[in-house]
Amino acid sequence: MKLFLDTADVAVIRDMVPTGMVDGVTTNPSLIAKSGRNIAEVIAEICALVEGPISAEAVATDFDTMVREGDRLAAIAPNVVVKLPLTWDGLRACRAFADKGVRTNVTLCFSAAQAMLAAKAGATFISPFVGRLEDHGADGVGLLEEIRTLYDIHGFETRVLAASLRNPGHVSAAALAGADVATLPADVFKALVKHPLTDKGLDAFLADWGKTGQSIL
């Protein structure tokens, strides 16, 4: 499973890239607004740091403007993926981009039926929102499993990009549900490596090693 960073903070991305674990980046209008910077400049910097797919979202709600915005975003760098909302205009734009070879990420997916429409529209990625579904008492991980099954049965090539992941448990569950990608904030990304028994074991090893008086170097 690929791991994407969900952020528009270039400093955070620059810090995480040396781990070799960052396979791509997703952004959205809220993250761009939080950065306080021009979207084209931010996306260009991110694309220069990360070779994998970089999702940049169109903010228009009508088809014609959505396509114009998507064309502008896609022109920033070859690894830009145009992010579109799961609306009729968004799906129509998705098909238009698919027909001309531009990759897309259809976002704000909350049902398997929506995911089916996105796949039929030629989406490269579908982004089901796990955490937001759970906020409303629904089974977010269950949705990932439904979409995985639906896509496998019908041979859809759209990749499942699990979004709105709030904790390491969500990430593990997304992987086990068959998601192709998980996108997560930096704090969740960093938390994946943590476990209290790992820390306890390392402390014990270091304490014992200290008693030997040796140095490996």
Side-chain angles (χ1 to χ4, degrees), residues 54 56 58 70-71 73-74 80-84 97 102-106:
I54 310 300
D71 284 338
L73 293 169
V80 167
V81 175
V82 178
K83 202 171 180 183
L84 302 163
F97 285 119
V102 175
R103 293 180 297 174
T104 55
N105 176 359
V106 177

Side-chain angles (χ1 to χ4, degrees), residues 198-216:
T198 301
D199 296 337
K200 184 177 180 180
L202 182 58
D203 288 343
F205 288 157
L206 292 176
D208 289 340
W209 178 252
K211 296 172 185 176
T212 70
Q214 299 182 50
S215 173
I216 294 175

Side-chain angles (χ1 to χ4, degrees), residues 4-8 24-28 31 53 55 83 105 161 183:
F4 289 2
L5 263 177
D6 190 35
T7 184
V25 175
T26 55
T27 69
N28 60 46
L31 293 172
S55 288
K83 202 171 180 183
N105 176 359
L161 194 165
T183 187

